[in-house]
Amino acid sequence: TGGRVLNPSLRKYFSLAANVKTGFMFPLTDITIYDTFDPVVLPENERKTWQLEKMFVCELYHDNLNNYKPPHTSRICLDISSEKTEANPYYFGSICHSSHYFDKEKYFTLENLGRYDFLLDYIHNSILAITDKLEWDKSVFIKAFSEVKSKNYKYFKEFPAKFSPDKKKKGHI
């Protein structure tokens, strides 16, 4: 036949899909704001600040979701749009894409904390629009939004205290 027979010892590497448990779900790995289709044009130093602010607020919001995973979703990509019409969310694999209006002029007139507020509102309102259309649990996102606001954009995690091996000392981060 001319076909090659796969060595039985290598077969496990080529049949991973058969071994995947159907109950396993990948976590929501990140929420990102993209300006690919409607670019924000800035000088290099301001562009870096813009990128860092976007990443910081997105990660802060994502972290406060406390490992919530929307159904069939591993990432949420929010695309900036100059148009005031909202597009329906769509999937590429497990990546959810959605396009939402972003007022660039207003954003760049704000100071630092105002920019964080603006970005958080953008992320939160965009995701609430997605939750309406895809029927996700809204309460998790509302709680994350209020957590970020209550912490005043301070990023910190508390971990449970651990005892030393001799159980005499206790450490906490």
Side-chain angles (χ1 to χ4, degrees), residues 28 31 61 65 68-71 73 76 78 86-91 96-98 100 122-145:
L28 180 66
I31 299 170
Y61 187 79
L65 292 175
Y68 172 71
K69 184 197 181 328
T73 309
I76 300 172
L78 304 173
E86 299 289 319
N88 283 327
Y90 65 93
Y91 278 91
C96 179
H97 289 266
S98 191
H100 302 273
Y122 174 77
I123 295 164
H124 184 64
N125 292 330
S126 299
I127 289 180
L128 288 183
I130 295 170
T131 62
D132 287 340
K133 293 176 181 158
L134 299 179
E135 299 177 356
W136 295 346
D137 182 5
K138 252 187 203 185
S139 65
V140 178
F141 296 102
I142 293 169
K143 185 177 180 204
F145 177 79

Side-chain angles (χ1 to χ4, degrees), residues 153-165:
Y153 301 97
K154 294 201 174 36
Y155 192 86
F156 62 90
K157 285 188 172 193
E158 287 191 34
F159 295 96
K162 290 190 173 191
F163 285 99
S164 64

Side-chain angles (χ1 to χ4, degrees), residues 22-92:
T22 56
F24 177 76
M25 293 188 303
F26 289 100
L28 180 66
T29 56
D30 87 309
I31 299 170
T32 309
I33 298 172
Y34 289 100
D35 62 341
T36 309
F37 302 111
D38 193 359
V40 174
V41 180
L42 295 168
E44 186 61 30
N45 61 337
E46 290 179 40
R47 179 114 183 120
K48 285 181 183 176
T49 302
W50 156 243
Q51 295 291 348
L52 290 171
E53 288 173 350
K54 284 190 316 180
M55 289 188 299
F56 173 72
V57 177
C58 284
E59 184 54 32
L60 196 54
Y61 187 79
H62 172 252
D63 193 61
N64 281 283
L65 292 175
N66 297 320
N67 296 320
Y68 172 71
K69 184 197 181 328
H72 314 292
T73 309
S74 63
R75 290 183 69 197
I76 300 172
C77 299
L78 304 173
D79 297 311
I80 286 176
S81 173
S82 300
E83 299 175 17
K84 293 195 179 192
T85 57
E86 299 289 319
N88 283 327
Y90 65 93
Y91 278 91
F92 184 78

Side-chain angles (χ1 to χ4, degrees), residues 6-20:
L6 185 63
N7 181 334
S9 65
L10 299 175
R11 190 168 293 154
K12 65 182 175 185
Y13 297 110
F14 294 97
S15 61
L16 291 175
N19 296 329
V20 174

